[in-house]
């Protein structure tokens, strides 16, 4: 649960935190008894506690498919992220990964901590995958194949232009959006969303993570991971790693604001995607991460701490987001409030101020014109650390 100090500063966090703790315990009790399914759900909670909570709201059949989809892509991502693996070893594994998921004996030693356990015991994931309905299997295989090929492409290619950045984010996250839309459709609970809107759902989350994780990625050992596009950062510094040095603080914040402004391009598509969802559990599953993303962007914008440490919502505010995000009115309200908070942080002298304000106004306009707006008052919530 949140720290005592944080709860004392924000006493209204306590009830949502308690609800979150109870939900976490209930989720752990629902872990299936079969060893391979037990491994998959236990591993899901270890690699992403918040995802493990939200996924529990889905019906059993769809929940199983989404769980395996997530673990397969997390394993693929573990191979891509491990900078100690030589490219001539890594690339063939990425390209062939969609075939490995059908092999009960396949595993590959890489990653650290829980990710190493996932890779060493991947046969449990394969066994569970083979028990899914064929329509789910085909969707997971297709996305895994396309993602592996895309990741392999960028092992040998740097993110130079904004088009490269969008393409990379499409491979590692936009395809997740497409895959989830296919799984929702295969369950019979949703119409099939367009690829464009599905892609934006993934890109909004991925770009937020890339912005937030700058310092962790640039300090990666033995080799930095560099995802910020040269087309953006080269306007401010000579080398991407220069952004973390104190003497470049002004330029670093300007570059950061440029990156946040780029991410905001996808916000309206995300609102359109979510507004079309009919099934309440699927809606919450999709909406909670998107609300977290725009909240994280609001925290990161104009914040030098992105280059000094980790910037993220306190646990109590995360619990509030999970508790409050129930309807589209809640989502419109959260996006409007976070956009307003972000707007208040825009320095008129920032090189991208006009563009940033234009994108924020477009988000606010969409929320207002929906006629379906529940205000959150997030500025007061985020005023305390």
């Amino acid at each position: 649960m949140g720290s005592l100090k944080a709860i004392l500063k924000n006493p209204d966090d306590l009830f949502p935190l308690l609800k979150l703790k109870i939900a976490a315990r209930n989720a752990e009790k629902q872990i299936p008894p079969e060893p391979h399914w037990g491994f998959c759900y236990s591993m899901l909670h270890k690699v992403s506690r918040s995802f493990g909570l939200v996924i529990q709201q889905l019906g059993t059949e769809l929940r199983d498919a989404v769980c395996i989809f997530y673990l397969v892509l997390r394993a693929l991502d573990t191979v891509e992220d491990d900078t100690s693996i030589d490219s001539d070893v890594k690339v063939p594994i990425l390209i062939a990964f969609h075939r490995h998921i059908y092999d009960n004996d396949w595993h590959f030693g890489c990653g650290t901590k829980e990710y190493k356990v996932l890779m060493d015991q991947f046969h449990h994931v394969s066994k569970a995958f083979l028990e899914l309905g064929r329509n789910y299997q085909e969707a997971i295989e297709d996305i895994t194949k396309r993602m592996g090929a895309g990741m392999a492409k960028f092992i040998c290619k740097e993110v130079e232009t904004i088009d490269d950045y969008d393409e990379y984010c499409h491979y590692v996250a936009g395809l997740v959006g497409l895959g989830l839309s296919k799984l929702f459709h295969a369950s019979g609970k949703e119409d099939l969303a367009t690829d464009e809107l599905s892609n934006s759902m993934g890109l909004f989350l991925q770009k937020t993570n890339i912005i937030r994780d700058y310092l962790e990625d640039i300090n990666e050992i033995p080799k930095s991971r560099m995802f910020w596009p040269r087309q953006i950062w080269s306007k401010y510094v000579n080398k991407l790693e220069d952004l973390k040095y104190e003497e470049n603080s002004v330029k670093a914040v300007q570059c950061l604001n440029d990156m946040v402004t780029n991410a905001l391009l996808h916000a309206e598509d995300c609102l359109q995607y979510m507004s079309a969802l009919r099934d309440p559990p699927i809606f919450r599953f999709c909406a909670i991460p998107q609300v977290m993303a725009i909240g994280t962007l609001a925290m990161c914008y104009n914040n030098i701490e992105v280059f000094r440490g980790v910037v993220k919502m306190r646990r109590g505010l995360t619990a509030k987001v999970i508790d409050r995000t129930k309807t589209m009115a809640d989502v419109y309200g959260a996006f409007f409030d976070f956009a307003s908070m972000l707007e208040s942080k825009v320095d008129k002298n920032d090189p991208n101020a006009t563009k940033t304000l234009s994108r924020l106004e477009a988000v606010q306009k969409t929320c207002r014109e929906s006629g379906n707006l529940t205000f959150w008052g997030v500025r007061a919530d985020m005023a305390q650390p």
Side-chain angles (χ1 to χ4, degrees), residues 153-154 157-171 199 203 207 227-232 262 265-266:
K153 177 178 179 178
F154 276 90
K157 173 183 170 66
E158 290 192 2
V159 180
E160 297 281 348
T161 66
I162 292 172
D163 283 346
D164 290 340
Y165 183 45
D166 285 343
E167 184 183 9
Y168 173 75
C169 290
H170 165 72
Y171 287 133
N199 187 58
L203 263 63
K207 289 184 175 184
F227 304 118
W228 290 32
R230 182 185 297 270
Q231 187 177 342
I232 289 179
N262 172 274
L265 269 172
H266 308 288

Side-chain angles (χ1 to χ4, degrees), residues 170-242:
H170 165 72
Y171 287 133
V172 300
L175 285 172
V176 179
L178 269 68
L180 286 172
S181 292
K182 287 186 174 188
L183 295 179
F184 300 155
H185 181 61
S187 74
K189 295 181 182 295
E190 299 290 351
D191 294 331
L192 184 60
T194 67
D195 285 358
E196 181 181 2
L197 295 181
S198 301
N199 187 58
S200 282
M201 289 284 284
L203 263 63
F204 193 57
L205 299 182
Q206 182 66 19
K207 289 184 175 184
T208 299
N209 291 341
I210 284 173
I211 291 165
R212 182 199 62 200
D213 295 341
Y214 165 85
L215 193 64
E216 178 186 338
D217 288 338
I218 208 71
N219 288 337
E220 180 74 18
I221 295 172
K223 183 182 177 184
S224 295
R225 292 182 291 175
M226 295 186 283
F227 304 118
W228 290 32
R230 182 185 297 270
Q231 187 177 342
I232 289 179
W233 63 255
S234 63
K235 292 186 283 184
Y236 306 97
V237 287
N238 293 322
K239 293 184 291 184
L240 182 57
E241 57 264 35
D242 291 346

Side-chain angles (χ1 to χ4, degrees), residues 78-355:
T78 300
V79 176
E80 186 216 16
D81 280 351
D82 193 329
T83 54
S84 68
I85 307 172
D86 289 338
S87 295
D88 58 348
V89 174
K90 183 182 291 189
V91 168
I93 293 173
L94 294 173
I95 291 173
F97 209 90
H98 66 288
R99 293 197 293 272
H100 296 319
I101 59 179
Y102 286 96
D103 184 352
N104 271 325
D105 297 321
W106 187 86
H107 61 91
F108 181 72
C110 68
T112 59
K113 299 178 182 176
E114 58 269 22
Y115 300 102
K116 183 175 181 354
V117 177
L118 173 63
M119 298 306 297
D120 286 342
Q121 300 187 47
F122 193 76
H123 62 281
H124 289 306
V125 181
S126 296
K127 185 174 182 180
F129 168 78
L130 291 170
E131 292 179 4
L132 298 176
R134 186 60 193 153
N135 51 349
Y136 292 127
Q137 289 180 0
E138 288 173 353
I140 293 170
E141 179 188 1
D142 173 57
I143 297 300
T144 304
K145 180 179 181 179
R146 292 160 68 182
M147 186 180 290
M151 286 177 168
K153 177 178 179 178
F154 276 90
I155 294 298
C156 311
K157 173 183 170 66
E158 290 192 2
V159 180
E160 297 281 348
T161 66
I162 292 172
D163 283 346
D164 290 340
Y165 183 45
D166 285 343
E167 184 183 9
Y168 173 75
C169 290
H170 165 72
Y171 287 133
V172 300
L175 285 172
V176 179
L178 269 68
L180 286 172
S181 292
K182 287 186 174 188
L183 295 179
F184 300 155
H185 181 61
S187 74
K189 295 181 182 295
E190 299 290 351
D191 294 331
L192 184 60
T194 67
D195 285 358
E196 181 181 2
L197 295 181
S198 301
N199 187 58
S200 282
M201 289 284 284
L203 263 63
F204 193 57
L205 299 182
Q206 182 66 19
K207 289 184 175 184
T208 299
N209 291 341
I210 284 173
I211 291 165
R212 182 199 62 200
D213 295 341
Y214 165 85
L215 193 64
E216 178 186 338
D217 288 338
I218 208 71
N219 288 337
E220 180 74 18
I221 295 172
K223 183 182 177 184
S224 295
R225 292 182 291 175
M226 295 186 283
F227 304 118
W228 290 32
R230 182 185 297 270
Q231 187 177 342
I232 289 179
W233 63 255
S234 63
K235 292 186 283 184
Y236 306 97
V237 287
N238 293 322
K239 293 184 291 184
L240 182 57
E241 57 264 35
D242 291 346
L243 293 171
K244 68 180 180 178
Y245 300 125
E246 196 168 341
E247 61 267 27
N248 296 321
S249 293
V250 173
K251 291 294 186 184
V253 168
Q254 290 176 348
C255 182
L256 168 65
N257 294 347
D258 203 341
M259 290 288 290
V260 172
T261 302
N262 172 274
L264 288 169
L265 269 172
H266 308 288
E268 289 175 87
D269 276 356
C270 292
L271 291 170
Q272 186 177 343
Y273 180 101
M274 290 183 283
S275 69
L277 295 172
R278 299 191 306 261
D279 184 71
I282 289 176
F283 171 79
R284 291 199 73 213
F285 172 81
C286 293
I288 290 169
Q290 299 295 333
V291 172
M292 294 288 294
I294 195 164
T296 301
L297 289 178
M299 292 188 70
C300 288
Y301 185 85
N302 216 36
N303 189 351
I304 190 62
E305 290 304 311
V306 170
F307 304 99
R308 305 287 181 264
V310 179
V311 174
K312 61 180 181 180
M313 289 187 190
R314 67 176 191 276
R315 188 155 177 77
L317 185 53
T318 299
K320 283 182 179 177
V321 168
I322 293 173
D323 187 45
R324 292 180 185 178
T325 307
K326 295 182 173 70
T327 67
M328 196 60 209
D330 299 326
V331 172
Y332 283 130
F335 268 64
F336 185 92
D337 280 2
F338 280 124
S340 299
M341 177 187 165
L342 209 159
E343 182 182 36
S344 72
K345 297 171 70 175
V346 176
D347 180 348
K348 297 296 192 293
N349 295 316
D350 185 90
N352 292 283
T354 302
K355 191 188 297 184

